[in-house]
Amino acid sequence: MDKYLKQAEFIARGTEILPNGVQELAKKLKDSEEKNTPLRVKLGMDPTKPDLHLGHTVVMRKLKQYQDIGHTVVLIIGDATAMIGDPSGKSETRKSLTKEEVDINAETYLDQMNRVLDITKAEVLRNADWLHKLNFSELLKLAAKCTVAQMLARDDFSKRYSEGKPISIHELFYPLMQAYDSVEIKSDIELGGTDQRFNVLLGREIQTAYGINPQIVQLLPLLEGTDGIIKMSKTYPEHCISLTDEPKDMYGKTMSIPDTLIIRYFELLTDLSNDQLNKYKIELESNEVNPRDYKMALARTIVSQYYSIEKSKESEEAFVNLFSKKQIPDEMPEFVTKDGQLLSDLLVEIKFVASKGEVKRLIKAGGIKVNSEKITDINYILEFKDKNEIIIQVGKRKFAKIKL
């Protein structure tokens, strides 16, 4: 059992296993090997946006760990569930997606996921293939497995109900549909973020109701963005490290995380051994080491994982030159504008920011400079005067040369 417990402890690192914790996972791993039957490890995805970030890789890396020891990853593209929209953690009814939107986003998801795990060895299924085939009698049978009281016990539904906000009947079907996926594919383990607790645990109940051995549940934390506060999300691009970021940007953004997140990022985003992780914890807590050295090791590791060791070295050299030596980069994109242009309009136009709202947030945080001077006015006007070019800096890594 020691072998399986060791495997389980590594796979469970940073996560919560229900029920009965690591011991239950170790038992599943042992039974699987003795029966020579790989475990079916489920992840449901509603492709709501086309791009993935490091927060998404937390669950993908766990799937890869199961793959590496011979188990079957089952990826379910929620083309049926996405048409409802997951209500988890939402204060209002979510916008439903069309099949076309889901198809486009799903293709992008799979391409990016392939940078973390081997998609060719995974089962990739679409839940519309079975959910859209259920007749009304079968839907009633499924609905009878869960009570209204259970649904309203959910924090999101409970809060909306108490605040008098509408809850559409179709939203109540979302967790049932996700749970029925577990029946259809006979999953042994389901992975999900901590915000999916209700949905994935309901999967256990619905499997039991249909006479299937219930899956165990692995809940993964929601990774904080580079500000250390808000969950990493495309909604806040200034705090988000995307899988599509260039190596130097990925390195630089990782270096911007607060020291308090160093161990958490190592734990959730790398294959650092438990022994090495504990060593790092002790060394950092001793205050006798420079956290920056560990952050650089983290940044190198992350860039190496998604690009190459060579790219990580180049990115580190560029970072050191730029920040340790206080240099402005030799190469930067160039744009042409007119004198008297509103800075916020230009930043949106050249796609350095997503919106004027982001400009406002960055200015408030002191994150925008013109010719090395911090900008404090959202209505700042670019004036060339006797200059023929202006250097704009957004955040710590984005530079642009603006010419008249």
Side-chain angles (χ1 to χ4, degrees), residues 257-289:
I257 67 172
D259 295 349
T260 52
L261 279 185
I262 293 173
I263 293 299
R264 185 167 173 81
Y265 269 47
F266 264 121
E267 182 178 57
L268 298 177
L269 301 177
T270 78
D271 288 327
L272 196 71
S273 70
N274 287 332
D275 289 342
Q276 191 66 43
L277 189 67
N278 290 330
K279 180 176 180 287
Y280 280 9
K281 283 180 184 177
I282 293 168
E283 289 172 348
L284 283 167
E285 288 168 1
S286 72
N287 295 319
E288 294 177 359
V289 294

Coordinates of all heavy atoms in Angstrom, one line a residue, residues 257-289:
I257 N 4.8 38.2 -9.2 CA 3.9 37.7 -8.1 C 4.4 38.1 -6.8 O 5.7 38.3 -6.6 CB 3.7 36.2 -8.2 CG1 5.0 35.4 -7.9 CG2 3.2 35.7 -9.5 CD1 4.9 33.9 -7.7
P258 N 3.6 38.3 -5.8 CA 4.1 38.6 -4.4 C 4.8 37.3 -3.9 O 4.6 36.2 -4.2 CB 2.8 38.8 -3.6 CG 1.7 38.2 -4.4 CD 2.1 38.2 -5.8
D259 N 5.7 37.6 -2.9 CA 6.5 36.5 -2.3 C 5.7 35.5 -1.7 O 6.0 34.3 -1.6 CB 7.5 37.1 -1.3 CG 8.5 38.0 -1.9 OD1 8.7 38.0 -3.2 OD2 9.2 38.7 -1.2
T260 N 4.5 35.9 -1.2 CA 3.6 34.9 -0.5 C 3.1 33.8 -1.4 O 2.6 32.8 -1.0 CB 2.4 35.6 0.1 OG1 1.8 36.5 -0.9 CG2 2.9 36.5 1.3
L261 N 3.2 34.0 -2.8 CA 2.6 33.1 -3.7 C 3.7 32.1 -4.3 O 3.4 31.2 -5.0 CB 2.0 33.8 -4.9 CG 0.5 34.3 -4.7 CD1 0.0 34.9 -6.0 CD2 -0.4 33.2 -4.2
I262 N 5.0 32.3 -3.9 CA 6.0 31.5 -4.5 C 5.8 30.0 -4.3 O 5.8 29.2 -5.2 CB 7.4 31.9 -3.9 CG1 7.8 33.3 -4.3 CG2 8.5 30.9 -4.4 CD1 9.0 33.9 -3.7
I263 N 5.6 29.6 -3.0 CA 5.4 28.2 -2.8 C 4.1 27.7 -3.4 O 4.1 26.6 -4.0 CB 5.4 27.9 -1.2 CG1 6.8 28.2 -0.6 CG2 5.0 26.5 -0.9 CD1 7.9 27.4 -1.2
R264 N 3.1 28.4 -3.4 CA 1.8 28.0 -3.9 C 1.9 27.8 -5.5 O 1.4 26.8 -6.0 CB 0.7 29.1 -3.7 CG -0.7 28.7 -4.1 CD -1.7 29.6 -3.5 NE -3.0 29.5 -4.0 CZ -3.9 28.5 -3.6 NH1 -3.5 27.7 -2.7 NH2 -5.1 28.4 -4.1
Y265 N 2.7 28.7 -6.2 CA 2.9 28.5 -7.6 C 3.7 27.3 -7.9 O 3.5 26.5 -8.8 CB 3.5 29.7 -8.2 CG 2.5 30.8 -8.7 CD1 1.4 31.2 -7.9 CD2 2.7 31.4 -9.9 CE1 0.5 32.1 -8.4 CE2 1.8 32.3 -10.4 CZ 0.7 32.7 -9.6 OH -0.2 33.6 -10.1
F266 N 4.8 27.1 -7.1 CA 5.6 25.9 -7.2 C 4.8 24.6 -7.0 O 4.9 23.6 -7.7 CB 6.8 25.9 -6.2 CG 8.1 26.4 -6.7 CD1 8.7 27.5 -6.1 CD2 8.7 25.8 -7.8 CE1 9.9 28.0 -6.6 CE2 9.9 26.3 -8.3 CZ 10.5 27.4 -7.7
E267 N 3.9 24.7 -6.0 CA 3.1 23.5 -5.6 C 2.1 23.1 -6.7 O 1.9 21.9 -7.1 CB 2.4 23.8 -4.3 CG 1.5 22.6 -3.8 CD 0.8 23.0 -2.5 OE1 0.1 24.0 -2.5 OE2 1.1 22.3 -1.5
L268 N 1.5 24.1 -7.3 CA 0.4 23.9 -8.2 C 0.8 23.9 -9.7 O 0.1 23.3 -10.6 CB -0.7 24.9 -8.0 CG -1.4 24.9 -6.7 CD1 -2.4 26.0 -6.6 CD2 -2.1 23.6 -6.4
L269 N 1.9 24.5 -10.0 CA 2.3 24.7 -11.4 C 3.6 24.0 -11.9 O 4.0 24.1 -13.0 CB 2.5 26.2 -11.7 CG 1.2 27.1 -11.4 CD1 1.6 28.5 -11.7 CD2 0.0 26.6 -12.3
T270 N 4.2 23.2 -10.9 CA 5.5 22.6 -11.3 C 5.5 21.1 -10.7 O 4.6 20.8 -9.9 CB 6.7 23.3 -10.8 OG1 6.9 23.0 -9.4 CG2 6.6 24.8 -11.0
D271 N 6.5 20.4 -11.2 CA 6.7 19.0 -10.7 C 7.7 18.9 -9.5 O 8.2 17.8 -9.3 CB 7.1 18.1 -11.8 CG 6.0 17.8 -12.8 OD1 4.8 17.8 -12.3 OD2 6.2 17.7 -14.0
L272 N 7.9 20.0 -8.9 CA 8.9 20.0 -7.8 C 8.5 18.9 -6.8 O 7.3 18.8 -6.4 CB 8.9 21.4 -7.1 CG 10.1 21.7 -6.2 CD1 11.3 21.9 -7.0 CD2 9.8 22.9 -5.3
S273 N 9.4 18.1 -6.3 CA 9.1 17.0 -5.4 C 8.6 17.6 -4.1 O 8.9 18.7 -3.7 CB 10.3 16.1 -5.2 OG 11.3 16.9 -4.4
N274 N 7.9 16.8 -3.3 CA 7.4 17.2 -2.0 C 8.6 17.6 -1.1 O 8.5 18.5 -0.3 CB 6.6 16.1 -1.4 CG 5.2 16.0 -2.0 OD1 4.7 17.0 -2.6 ND2 4.6 14.8 -2.0
D275 N 9.7 16.8 -1.1 CA 10.8 17.0 -0.3 C 11.5 18.4 -0.6 O 11.8 19.2 0.2 CB 11.9 15.9 -0.5 CG 11.4 14.6 0.2 OD1 10.5 14.7 1.0 OD2 12.0 13.6 -0.2
Q276 N 11.6 18.7 -2.0 CA 12.2 19.9 -2.4 C 11.3 21.1 -2.0 O 11.7 22.2 -1.6 CB 12.4 19.9 -3.9 CG 13.3 21.1 -4.4 CD 14.7 21.0 -3.9 OE1 15.3 20.0 -3.8 NE2 15.2 22.2 -3.4
L277 N 10.0 20.9 -2.2 CA 9.0 21.9 -1.8 C 9.1 22.3 -0.3 O 9.1 23.5 0.0 CB 7.6 21.4 -2.2 CG 6.4 22.4 -2.1 CD1 6.6 23.5 -3.1 CD2 5.1 21.7 -2.2
N278 N 9.2 21.3 0.5 CA 9.3 21.5 2.0 C 10.6 22.2 2.3 O 10.7 23.1 3.1 CB 9.2 20.2 2.7 CG 7.8 19.6 2.7 OD1 6.9 20.3 2.6 ND2 7.8 18.3 2.8
K279 N 11.7 21.9 1.5 CA 13.0 22.6 1.7 C 12.8 24.0 1.4 O 13.3 24.9 2.1 CB 14.0 21.9 0.8 CG 15.4 22.5 0.9 CD 16.4 21.7 0.1 CE 17.8 22.2 0.2 NZ 18.0 23.5 -0.6
Y280 N 12.2 24.3 0.3 CA 12.0 25.7 -0.1 C 11.2 26.5 0.9 O 11.5 27.7 1.2 CB 11.3 25.8 -1.5 CG 12.1 25.6 -2.7 CD1 13.5 25.1 -2.6 CD2 11.7 25.8 -4.0 CE1 14.3 24.9 -3.7 CE2 12.4 25.6 -5.1 CZ 13.7 25.1 -4.9 OH 14.5 24.9 -6.0
K281 N 10.1 25.8 1.4 CA 9.3 26.5 2.5 C 10.1 26.9 3.7 O 10.0 28.0 4.2 CB 8.2 25.5 2.9 CG 7.0 25.4 2.0 CD 6.0 24.4 2.6 CE 4.9 24.1 1.6 NZ 3.9 23.1 2.2
I282 N 10.9 26.0 4.1 CA 11.8 26.2 5.3 C 12.8 27.3 5.1 O 13.0 28.2 5.9 CB 12.5 24.9 5.8 CG1 11.5 23.9 6.3 CG2 13.6 25.2 6.8 CD1 12.1 22.5 6.4
E283 N 13.4 27.3 3.9 CA 14.4 28.3 3.5 C 13.7 29.7 3.4 O 14.3 30.7 3.9 CB 15.1 27.9 2.2 CG 16.0 26.7 2.4 CD 16.6 26.2 1.1 OE1 16.1 26.6 0.0 OE2 17.5 25.4 1.1
L284 N 12.6 29.8 2.8 CA 11.9 31.1 2.7 C 11.4 31.6 4.0 O 11.5 32.8 4.3 CB 10.7 30.9 1.7 CG 11.1 30.9 0.2 CD1 10.0 30.5 -0.7 CD2 11.6 32.3 -0.3
E285 N 11.0 30.7 4.9 CA 10.5 31.1 6.2 C 11.6 31.6 7.1 O 11.4 32.3 8.1 CB 9.7 30.0 6.9 CG 8.3 29.8 6.2 CD 7.7 28.5 6.7 OE1 8.3 27.8 7.5 OE2 6.6 28.1 6.2
S286 N 12.8 31.2 6.8 CA 14.0 31.5 7.6 C 14.4 33.0 7.4 O 15.1 33.6 8.2 CB 15.2 30.6 7.3 OG 15.7 31.0 6.0
N287 N 13.9 33.6 6.3 CA 14.3 35.0 6.0 C 15.8 35.2 5.8 O 16.3 36.3 5.8 CB 13.8 36.0 7.1 CG 12.3 36.0 7.1 OD1 11.6 36.0 6.1 ND2 11.7 36.0 8.3
E288 N 16.5 34.1 5.5 CA 17.9 34.2 5.3 C 18.3 34.1 3.8 O 19.4 34.1 3.4 CB 18.6 33.1 6.1 CG 18.5 33.3 7.6 CD 19.2 32.2 8.4 OE1 19.7 31.2 7.7 OE2 19.2 32.2 9.6
V289 N 17.2 34.0 3.0 CA 17.4 33.9 1.5 C 16.7 35.0 0.8 O 15.7 35.6 1.4 CB 17.0 32.5 1.0 CG1 17.8 31.4 1.6 CG2 15.5 32.3 1.3

